Amino acid sequence: MSLPTRVLYVDLTKKVFHVEDRRDLFENYIGGVGVASKLLLEECPKGADPLGPENPIIFAIGPLTGLFPLASKTVAMFKSPLTGNLGESHAGGRSAVSIRMAGYGAIVIKGASEHPVYLSIYNDKVYFRDALALWGVRSSFTIGRVLRELEPYPGFRTIMRIGRAGENLVRYASVITETYRHFGRLGLGAVFGSKKLKAVVISGSSTIKVNDMKRYREVYDNIYNLSVKSPIMKKYHDLGTPANVNPLNLMKALPTMNLSQAYFEKAEEISGEALAEKYLGRRVACGHCPTACIHIAALREPYEDEPYFYKTTMISYDYELIYSLGSMLGIGTPEGLLKLIDEVEIQGLDAISTGVVLAWATEMLQRGLISEKETNNLKLQWGDYSTYIKAVRFIVNQPNDFYKALARGVEYASSIYGGKDFALAFGSNEMAGYHTGPLFYGTLLTGARHSHLDSAGYSFDEKNVKSHLTPTPEDGASMILNEEIWRQILTSLVICLFARGIYDEKIVKDALSIVGLNMDGATLKQKGLEILRMKYEFKLREGFDPKNLRIPKRITETETPLGKIDEEYLKSLINNYFSKLQLTSLPP
Amino acid sequence: MLMISRLAVVDANRCVGCQLCMFACNRRFGMGGLARSSIQVRSVGGIEHGFTVVVCRACPDPPCAKVCPTDALRIRRGGGVILDQSKCIGCGLCVKACPFGAVFWDYESNKPEICVHCGYCANYCPHGVLKMEVLSA
């Protein structure tokens, strides 16, 4: 059958599972974000503790997974322990193809185990395996290595795992898949940890029947040719996302040293070009994506205790990491940056949140708002990567109240220690790296998960920089709302958002027709709007109120390429966004 | 005169692990998904170490054919084998005989899946890992 309609329900408390055919979900909400949002409303009770057994983990793939190139992502949804509200994170690797080949459209994991376990899912079988010995292991890399050996079917599986950050419930702990991809944002790793769930291995092998094989091959070839021959994916293939470092810096939009400035003097040294030239060791791809945007640096270092004794560490780098763990912390040496990235991977933290939290802590110390008593004798200062590596370990081990606060995110930490004006979180989620103009911040404020990927306002800002035009708040709200609506479709299919230039309305319609979903452009947009409203239904139920959105003063102080951010403009944009979205249950 | 060619793994170091070849193999035989692939890409002990591409190398004197008790594997011109479904009893000896692990198994039909060297997958390898090699004309 062409549509993935089976949903696997796993209960970690009772150690039981069952499968339901939920054709209703996939026919109505397509897959991915659409289906997962509906499942979240069904499975997550109102007011659930994000770290309680009642919080569900929902993985969903879409109707194009396993059939078309660039449909390479899995959506995870849950109640976020970082924001206390809607949690949504996407990852690639082999996760999406493996879930589909195991025979599922979605997987729901509820309950909590008393002792550490990991799940092995092989087609129709689910095994609850003991993970007591894996709990507390220092490096997430080791967990990957052990599970690769323990579990069968290499090449047909995904190995999702948490590091010690997840075990210790750091609210922005990540789930790592295939070593270099992550469900990074909003703390899925802590939800795993709260359930004593160390890892999930999913594998399977199956075929997908397609009614019109000839037409399927035609649509496939069209997408394939666009993905390898047109310039759309070239940037991601060549330098990868770090291609953005130099242009954003030259535009003066690269947040630097906690956004005290938007230009980093040493950006060139940690740019995509510099890293590719001196360190790039390998490029790899997610399952069913020819682009290979994953760039892995080979860092060769001598051991100091013995001559001619070296180690080579393979470290994946991306734009957001270069921003959050590089410019944001004033780190301008590639080696220092790579070592810090490696430590964040070892511990299993979200890189963006970690960098933003540490940048705030550094400024707090500089301003004398905290002392070295709070930082546990660490003298945090811009560029000092070895001290930041120690700080990352403290965030995970939480030796005192200050690090316990840091482990809950910058919104929480600044509510205790002050420094809110330069605590760079929106809807309690730490910001991504684009000080491009008002629409980027519009996205962070209005986006359902307060992520730059919700509606990519930075992309509109960049166009506006070129045309020297800033839209009215009303037009700006329309732009980001329409983009967010369309992205609900793309993330329900589920395709990688890097491929949004390929999957236009026509291609989406063609691809969906192959799996028997015939939707015209108007229907697609209506579905996108419905899905977005469903997400907001959850948010409002869990206490979201747009009136409470905080705008950190810092973003209005540092000039963007479009001038200084006007707080009133943003407030008007927020109002326009919500009046256009027409939510029935919005608080007065 | 008939061109005889075989599928060659030219440079596995260029492989990015996208598995488009595996999907192509299924599509060639009328399916989406992966279960019917006669070619497999997997990491060499973790993605950081790169990938290995496992596929029939078209042995001139293939051991899989030698161990087949029913002569279901006929030696192909240019090397490799052609499976005669009607003769195959699904014993799996061919799987054990191949030192490369390039005889895969289709659990739906309970018969081996072996590359026929059609070259369809090479059309979907954008990174120069796979190529059709002409052996003789």
Side-chain angles (χ1 to χ4, degrees), chain B residues 100-135:
Chain B
F100 297 98
V103 176
F104 301 98
W105 201 254
D106 172 18
Y107 288 93
E108 287 168 12
S109 66
N110 200 36
K111 292 191 198 293
E113 288 283 355
I114 307 172
C115 174
V116 296
H117 296 270
C118 72
Y120 191 74
C121 59
N123 297 331
Y124 295 89
C125 178
H127 303 300
V129 180
L130 301 171
K131 200 179 79 181
M132 285 306 279
E133 257 180 21
V134 177
L135 296 171

Side-chain angles (χ1 to χ4, degrees), chain A residues 118-255:
Chain A
Y118 76 93
L119 283 176
S120 287
I121 301 169
Y122 298 118
N123 289 106
D124 285 335
K125 297 192 178 71
V126 176
Y127 299 95
F128 298 85
R129 302 217 208 264
D130 180 50
L132 200 60
L134 300 179
W135 206 258
V137 166
R138 191 184 68 84
S139 169
S140 67
F141 288 94
T142 309
I143 302 302
R145 199 170 299 162
V146 169
L147 291 179
R148 274 200 297 276
E149 299 285 322
L150 270 180
E151 297 290 325
Y153 310 120
F156 292 97
R157 64 188 179 189
T158 184
I159 303 178
M160 304 173 182
R161 64 267 195 183
I162 58 169
R164 289 191 58 252
E167 293 176 8
N168 290 356
L169 308 180
V170 178
R171 301 304 200 269
Y172 41 92
S174 70
V175 171
I176 302 161
T177 185
E178 284 65 81
T179 312
Y180 297 112
R181 295 293 93 183
H182 314 85
F183 295 96
R185 309 242 57 202
L186 298 170
L188 183 61
V191 182
F192 265 55
S194 72
K195 297 184 180 313
K196 291 273 193 291
L197 179 61
K198 185 66 186 174
V200 179
V201 184
I202 305 165
S203 72
S205 187
S206 53
T207 52
I208 304 168
K209 287 190 177 59
V210 174
N211 287 333
D212 187 345
M213 203 57 210
K214 181 167 172 284
R215 179 80 184 124
Y216 169 43
R217 289 197 187 110
E218 281 169 15
V219 175
Y220 189 105
D221 287 350
N222 187 21
I223 296 170
Y224 174 76
N225 287 329
L226 283 169
S227 65
V228 296
K229 290 172 191 161
S230 80
I232 299 174
M233 304 304 289
K234 193 172 161 35
K235 160 180 145 182
Y236 297 111
H237 177 62
D238 287 353
L239 290 175
T241 56
N244 288 334
V245 175
N246 277 335
L248 280 165
N249 192 47
L250 291 174
M251 194 187 274
K252 296 198 167 63
L254 179 66

Side-chain angles (χ1 to χ4, degrees), chain A residues 66 94 101 148 154-156 178 180 205-208 213 216-217 220-221 224 237 282-285 288-290 292, chain B residues 16 18-20 22-23 27-28 30 32-36 40 45-51 108 120 124 126-127:
Chain A
R94 297 239 172 87
M101 292 295 100
R148 274 200 297 276
F156 292 97
E178 284 65 81
Y180 297 112
S205 187
S206 53
T207 52
I208 304 168
M213 203 57 210
Y216 169 43
R217 289 197 187 110
Y220 189 105
D221 287 350
Y224 174 76
H237 177 62
R282 193 176 285 288
R283 282 186 296 188
V284 299
H288 218 166
C289 172
Chain B
V16 298
C18 68
Q19 302 188 324
L20 258 73
M22 296 167 63
F23 286 101
R27 230 163 37 256
R28 164 75 173 74
L34 287 177
R36 300 288 297 274
Q40 202 205 334
I47 279 165
E48 64 270 39
H49 300 120
F51 299 92
E108 287 168 12
Y120 191 74
Y124 295 89
H127 303 300

Side-chain angles (χ1 to χ4, degrees), chain A residues 182-463:
Chain A
H182 314 85
F183 295 96
R185 309 242 57 202
L186 298 170
L188 183 61
V191 182
F192 265 55
S194 72
K195 297 184 180 313
K196 291 273 193 291
L197 179 61
K198 185 66 186 174
V200 179
V201 184
I202 305 165
S203 72
S205 187
S206 53
T207 52
I208 304 168
K209 287 190 177 59
V210 174
N211 287 333
D212 187 345
M213 203 57 210
K214 181 167 172 284
R215 179 80 184 124
Y216 169 43
R217 289 197 187 110
E218 281 169 15
V219 175
Y220 189 105
D221 287 350
N222 187 21
I223 296 170
Y224 174 76
N225 287 329
L226 283 169
S227 65
V228 296
K229 290 172 191 161
S230 80
I232 299 174
M233 304 304 289
K234 193 172 161 35
K235 160 180 145 182
Y236 297 111
H237 177 62
D238 287 353
L239 290 175
T241 56
N244 288 334
V245 175
N246 277 335
L248 280 165
N249 192 47
L250 291 174
M251 194 187 274
K252 296 198 167 63
L254 179 66
T256 300
M257 295 181 261
N258 205 33
L259 195 56
S260 57
Q261 54 193 66
Y263 178 82
F264 187 35
E265 289 78 5
K266 296 177 182 162
E268 182 73 46
E269 290 164 56
I270 52 168
S271 65
E273 289 82 351
L275 288 167
E277 193 184 319
K278 295 182 194 128
Y279 296 93
L280 183 56
R282 193 176 285 288
R283 282 186 296 188
V284 299
C286 294
H288 218 166
C289 172
T291 305
C293 77
I294 307 166
H295 284 56
I296 305 177
L299 180 64
R300 181 172 176 259
E301 295 169 273
Y303 281 96
E304 282 166 14
D305 59 343
E306 195 182 325
Y308 308 113
F309 194 31
Y310 290 89
K311 67 169 175 179
T312 302
T313 315
M314 304 297 281
I315 303 158
S316 164
Y317 61 91
D318 261 299
Y319 170 73
E320 296 297 346
L321 286 72
I322 296 173
Y323 140 72
S324 60
L325 302 171
S327 67
M328 200 59 165
L329 299 176
I331 295 173
T333 58
E335 289 212 1
L337 169 65
L338 291 170
K339 285 179 186 175
L340 182 57
I341 291 175
D342 196 40
E343 188 62 32
V344 167
E345 289 275 21
I346 284 169
Q347 303 292 348
L349 287 158
D350 176 55
I352 297 179
S353 289
T354 305
V356 171
V357 163
L358 288 175
W360 170 83
T362 307
E363 187 164 342
M364 288 292 284
L365 186 65
Q366 278 189 346
R367 289 172 177 264
L369 295 169
I370 55 168
S371 70
E372 285 176 36
K373 179 173 159 282
E374 276 79 24
T375 62
N376 210 18
N377 302 316
L378 291 187
K379 196 168 162 34
L380 299 169
Q381 55 185 337
W382 307 127
D384 180 0
Y385 67 85
S386 29
T387 301
Y388 285 123
I389 288 173
K390 289 177 192 149
V392 166
R393 291 176 189 151
F394 284 154
I395 287 174
V396 174
N397 293 328
Q398 298 158 42
N400 65 17
D401 285 345
F402 182 68
Y403 285 102
K404 281 190 180 76
L406 289 190
R408 298 181 67 161
V410 81
E411 187 74 36
Y412 177 82
S414 61
S415 74
I416 305 289
Y417 293 90
K420 277 231 173 254
D421 287 350
F422 51 91
L424 294 167
F426 296 80
S428 300
N429 189 19
E430 286 78 15
M431 71 176 262
Y434 307 85
H435 192 56
T436 45
L439 293 192
F440 168 65
Y441 294 105
T443 285
L444 295 188
L445 290 159
T446 60
R449 52 186 165 137
H450 306 287
S451 154
H452 63 295
L453 293 171
D454 281 325
S455 52
Y458 58 92
S459 180
F460 294 114
D461 285 333
E462 286 169 30
K463 284 176 197 136

